[in-house]
Amino acid sequence: MEKHSTGADAGDLSLVRRAQAGERAAYDLLVLKYQHKVVKLVMRYTRNPADAEDVAQDSFIKAYRALPQFRGDSAFYTWLYRIAINTAKNALAARDRNPVMAQIELQDSDDGPDLVNRLKDPDTPEGLALTEEIRGTVNAAIDALPEDLRTAIVLRELEGLSYEEIAAAMDCPVGTVRSRIFRAREAIDRRLREVFEGGLGRAEELV
């Protein structure tokens, strides 16, 4: 895995090094920076805001305890996301829940329209009406995905991570990530075609 060198990653690494040296305030800055993103990520598993807050808090505690082992081989946030994903999975297993069957409350989510836009190919007609029904269908399709496909598509489409970053967060090869995202998009498009003829307008491009 190549070491990231963007300004944001460099800033994170600087804070990590300070935290590793015992400066708790530096870690607090990292928590403030990524708390909202981590809560949104684990909400895809817990489906409950209070539970998501608890899982996020546990994730940051675990990350802090593991901070001495972080070497900076990958971006801090991909390392943090991996911890958050595993923490969410463990929390669900402990409560004997099935995350696939939970339903997203679209009215409280600001990701629906964004996700549909990002799932569309660039040349898809911009005039597509993003109705509540379409957003509901997309989110229901995501909910119905197997856990590995759902995590990959959420990290790609909602968090905007690269394939390499998702591979680091999910601890799997890049090729596996590409396959999961392709299969997830196919499943979402197939679900949309069942409800709306032509799906997202990508039928011709997928051939």
Side-chain angles (χ1 to χ4, degrees):
M1 176 70 63
E2 288 188 5
K3 193 171 182 178
H4 296 260
S5 57
T6 65
D9 292 341
D12 286 353
L13 188 57
S14 174
L15 289 173
V16 168
R17 295 305 183 219
R18 286 162 55 188
Q20 287 174 329
E23 187 179 338
R24 182 59 186 263
Y27 188 72
D28 290 342
L29 290 175
L30 289 167
V31 173
L32 287 173
K33 181 175 181 180
Y34 290 110
Q35 186 170 29
H36 181 60
K37 285 182 174 293
V38 169
V39 169
K40 284 175 63 180
L41 176 62
V42 300
M43 263 288 287
R44 288 280 170 174
Y45 291 86
T46 67
R47 314 301 190 204
N48 179 291
D51 289 344
E53 292 283 352
D54 289 343
V55 170
Q57 185 176 24
D58 288 345
S59 300
F60 282 113
I61 291 172
K62 289 179 180 179
Y64 184 72
R65 290 173 177 167
L67 208 58
Q69 284 77 52
F70 179 75
R71 300 185 303 275
D73 294 332
S74 63
F76 171 76
Y77 60 85
T78 59
W79 179 77
L80 176 63
Y81 283 0
R82 184 191 300 180
I83 291 175
I85 290 168
N86 289 334
T87 302
K89 288 179 181 179
N90 291 338
L92 286 170
R95 285 174 293 212
D96 195 28
R97 288 187 179 178
N98 185 348
V100 175
M101 299 307 295
Q103 186 170 3
I104 296 175
E105 289 297 328
L106 293 171
Q107 295 85 345
D108 299 330
S109 173
D110 57 1
D111 293 327
D114 242 7
L115 177 58
V116 176
N117 274 327
R118 292 179 190 182
L119 286 174
K120 292 193 305 177
D121 286 344
D123 56 354
T124 299
E126 296 178 0
L128 179 64
L130 299 180
T131 64
E132 288 293 325
E133 192 174 4
I134 291 176
R135 291 200 295 271
T137 301
V138 169
N139 279 282
I142 291 175
D143 282 348
L145 292 171
E147 182 180 279
D148 55 349
L149 303 191
R150 187 175 66 254
T151 299
I153 197 70
V154 166
L155 290 176
R156 177 65 176 173
E157 304 296 352
L158 299 185
E159 295 299 325
L161 268 61
S162 68
Y163 290 105
E164 291 76 13
E165 290 168 336
I166 297 170
M170 297 189 71
D171 196 19
C172 66
V174 172
T176 301
V177 170
R178 292 184 183 278
S179 174
R180 288 174 179 174
I181 290 174
F182 176 80
R183 288 159 57 200
R185 286 174 172 159
E186 286 283 274
I188 292 168
D189 194 69
R190 186 164 56 249
R191 181 70 175 269
L192 280 165
R193 288 188 209 182
E194 293 174 359
V195 182
F196 307 98
E197 188 175 355
L200 281 175
R202 299 193 304 123
E204 293 79 8
E205 290 87 346
L206 288 173
V207 176

